[in-house]
Amino acid sequence: MRTPTPADTGLELAGESRYRLLVEAVMDYAIYLLDPGGHVSSWNPGAERFKGYASHEIIGRHFSIFYTEEDRLAGVPERALETARREGRFEAEGWRVHKSGRRFWCSVVIDAVRDDQGNVLGFAKITRDITDKKKALEEIQATRDALHHAQKLEALGRLTSGVAHDFNNFLATIRFAAEMLRRPSLSDDKRLQLASVVTATVDRAGHLTAQLLAYSRKQPLTPARFDVRACIEGMRDIFAATVGSAIKIEYVFQDAPLHICADSTQLETALLNMVINARDAMPAGGRLCITARREAPGGEDGAASDRPNTLAQPCIAIELRDSGCGMEPDVLAQIFEPFFTTKPVGKGTGLGLSQVFGFSKQSGGDVRVASEVGRGSTFTLSIPEDVSAADGPPPVAAASDSLPRQQKRIMLVDDDTQVGTVLRALLEDLGHQVSFCTDASAALQRLGDAQGAMDVVIADVQMAGLDGMELAKRVRTKWPHIRVVLTTGAAGRAAGSDAHAFPLLPKPWSMELLLDMLRQD
Ligand SMILES: Nc1ncnc2c1ncn2[C@@H]1O[C@H](COP(=O)(O)OP(=O)(O)OP(=O)(O)O)[C@@H](O)[C@H]1O
Ligand SMILES: [Mg+2]
């Protein structure tokens, strides 16, 4: 008896029909073959379903019929076949056209089919309709965009209404005081008291604008080199008094110099803001651990946080870890925004962390946070390490008396006439000789006419045309004996390195501060 061959048993035929059965059964994919010229040579029901053509309508026609007119004119079908011929495969997503003219979004794969010698026999094409998936993705993206936009508007609304609210209160106080001061019957005591109210209100308003400028990274900074460890050590008593006895503060310092070059007053404010937040997060007491250590560049971070440290240079990291209430993710996402607060009215303005954020960024650093509801929060403030050996210039000691020792010839340059006029009156009242210009060119002209007969020039940094910084440099070159003091409402250009060559008075400065500067000859 002869052994049966596969042909006898019909196995070969069964393989081919099994393959056909498979292709025919697939309804979610268009699976068909193209001849080497790109004409359709086989068709499955999936293809019929997507593209609308019955096999007798489409076999023999060029596959470019499925493409949009723009794609056809741009030669997209030919390029697809060319890629598949050259590289063996072409893969893309794009619009295709149904027999009815309707467009649908497809994922397409074209494989070159070759014989044993490598000659291209045709192409196998598999297409999938992913219009629904694309629509769903687009809808998710649109929802995300709308949410992001709404959140931005909400933050902006919070910011403007916060500023408006606080400023209206300041303005109301100043107005009431000014109206009272006009009354002739007012006693001297009362007059002095009202003047103090105005000054105190201006200080509060100045504090608010300083925090806003800190957030927008435009505050005038006075960076100097110092050891972070010494700075924190110096604040131990303030921290202890701030948190009270129910909260235990633990300090952990790396045993090495931890130098940064930054504005130490701003760092102190930032630390205090975070310590106050930690206190508020632990109303029933708890633990606060303050750590300072060196941090390698590129995210080698000890604490888990929302994101790694992305700074490129070595930093000094100051970490405040509390055992407080922690934060929900939606709160965490907004904490650095100005005026975002979860505290009751009168308890928080929502500016503390915006100052921390702005200060860290303006100092070339970063702030990160990790938090878990019920377990606590960890804030990490990283500031680039100062690796230079030299110490900065020693701070100038403030003079104690409050009156200028001698009369000075002062030139005021400010494009705000009101500020200039009031300041001029004040300085004249103190016995100085004052001339006032509203722009830098006029000031230079007048100085030239007077052949530099002036002791001090006080110039606003931001002015149209020639600005205060440029004026300061020209005055110093031409008349080095004249002392130049710059004043500014925001750092702007004054934050640049050359600003530190001139003393800077941040508005609204006190008379005391100006007099101190005038005394520093
Ligand atoms: N350590 C912390 N633990 C839990 N929540 C915190 C912590 N620090 C900040 N937060 C949350 O972040 C919010 C914003 O903090 P931020 O310091 O900017 O403003 P504030 O403390 O509310 O007000 P302000 O600091 O101006 O008095 C807080 O209201 C609080 O919800
Ligand atoms: Mg706060």
Side-chain angles (χ1 to χ4, degrees), residues 32-41 43 51 53 57-67 72 75-82 85 110 123 125:
Y32 54 98
L33 291 169
L34 302 177
D35 69 16
H39 299 92
V40 178
S41 60
W43 198 239
K51 312 217 180 196
Y53 299 94
E57 292 174 298
I58 199 70
I59 291 196
R61 298 193 60 180
H62 195 261
F63 85 115
S64 58
I65 191 172
F66 307 130
Y67 284 72
R72 267 204 305 274
V76 176
E78 288 73 21
R79 274 208 301 282
L81 282 198
E82 191 42 50
R85 196 187 303 272
I110 306 177
F123 299 93
K125 195 158 186 268

Side-chain angles (χ1 to χ4, degrees), residues 273 277-278 280-281 322 325-327 331 335 340-343 347-354 377 379:
N273 281 335
N277 283 347
D280 293 348
D322 66 55
C325 57
M327 286 170 268
V331 169
I335 53 172
F340 174 81
T341 181
T342 56
K343 297 175 188 174
K347 275 283 275 173
T349 50
L351 285 173
L353 288 178
S354 3
S377 311
F379 285 83

Side-chain angles (χ1 to χ4, degrees), residues 8-130:
D8 291 338
T9 59
L11 267 181
E12 257 180 347
L13 229 178
E16 199 176 305
S17 55
R18 263 209 305 268
Y19 160 75
R20 182 155 311 177
L21 265 177
L22 172 74
V23 172
E24 303 264 299
V26 173
M27 294 297 285
D28 285 348
Y29 290 82
I31 302 175
Y32 54 98
L33 291 169
L34 302 177
D35 69 16
H39 299 92
V40 178
S41 60
S42 82
W43 198 239
N44 83 330
E48 181 169 345
R49 191 173 141 240
F50 288 172
K51 312 217 180 196
Y53 299 94
S55 56
H56 70 271
E57 292 174 298
I58 199 70
I59 291 196
R61 298 193 60 180
H62 195 261
F63 85 115
S64 58
I65 191 172
F66 307 130
Y67 284 72
T68 63
E69 188 161 358
E70 311 88 89
D71 281 357
R72 267 204 305 274
L73 290 173
V76 176
E78 288 73 21
R79 274 208 301 282
L81 282 198
E82 191 42 50
T83 307
R85 196 187 303 272
R86 198 177 55 243
E87 294 170 14
R89 164 170 278 222
F90 169 84
E91 260 185 282
E93 285 188 8
W95 289 111
R96 294 294 181 271
V97 184
H98 186 266
K99 183 183 165 191
S100 64
R102 172 176 57 83
R103 288 181 176 206
F104 56 99
W105 187 259
C106 275
S107 128
V108 180
V109 179
I110 306 177
D111 279 303
V113 180
R114 294 177 194 274
D115 65 13
D116 293 345
Q117 278 78 47
N119 303 312
V120 172
L121 297 176
F123 299 93
K125 195 158 186 268
I126 302 177
T127 307
R128 189 172 189 201
D129 181 351
I130 52 167

Side-chain angles (χ1 to χ4, degrees), residues 301-505:
D301 190 7
S305 69
D306 56 341
R307 66 207 150 80
N309 164 16
T310 51
L311 301 169
Q313 66 266 61
C315 283
I316 304 302
I318 307 170
E319 194 178 281
L320 286 89
R321 185 191 298 263
D322 66 55
S323 60
C325 57
M327 286 170 268
E328 296 283 357
D330 61 322
V331 169
L332 204 57
Q334 303 179 73
I335 53 172
F336 295 111
E337 285 170 16
F339 294 104
F340 174 81
T341 181
T342 56
K343 297 175 188 174
V345 180
K347 275 283 275 173
T349 50
L351 285 173
L353 288 178
S354 3
Q355 184 271 339
V356 177
F357 176 83
F359 163 70
S360 70
K361 294 289 173 187
Q362 207 182 342
S363 307
D366 199 7
V367 57
R368 287 158 292 146
V369 57
S371 188
E372 211 179 309
V373 175
R375 304 205 58 162
S377 311
T378 304
F379 285 83
T380 312
L381 178 64
S382 302
I383 306 288
E385 182 180 17
D386 186 321
V387 284
S388 70
D391 278 332
V396 193
S400 53
D401 53 331
S402 61
L403 280 173
R405 283 203 199 98
Q406 67 202 59
Q407 188 196 48
K408 292 210 161 81
R409 294 164 299 175
I410 300 176
M411 172 173 280
L412 282 180
V413 194
D414 199 315
D415 55 1
D416 189 317
T417 330
Q418 289 208 354
V419 173
T421 313
V422 176
L423 186 55
R424 176 188 193 155
L426 249 170
L427 286 168
E428 282 176 347
D429 199 51
L430 289 167
H432 298 294
Q433 213 184 75
V434 186
S435 70
F436 173 43
C437 298
T438 50
D439 69 85
S441 310
L444 282 174
Q445 175 80 44
R446 207 178 290 180
L447 281 171
D449 292 347
Q451 294 173 337
M454 197 63 65
D455 300 310
V456 182
V457 170
I458 302 174
D460 192 24
V461 176
Q462 287 91 4
M463 286 188 293
L466 200 64
D467 67 13
M469 182 61 69
E470 206 45 51
L471 170 69
K473 286 183 191 159
R474 293 196 196 178
V475 169
R476 176 165 288 177
T477 315
K478 225 165 170 186
W479 302 287
H481 69 277
I482 301 182
R483 181 172 171 72
V484 185
V485 176
L486 291 174
T487 96
T488 176
R493 276 199 56 197
S497 56
D498 51 356
H500 306 304
F502 300 98
L504 194 63
L505 285 171

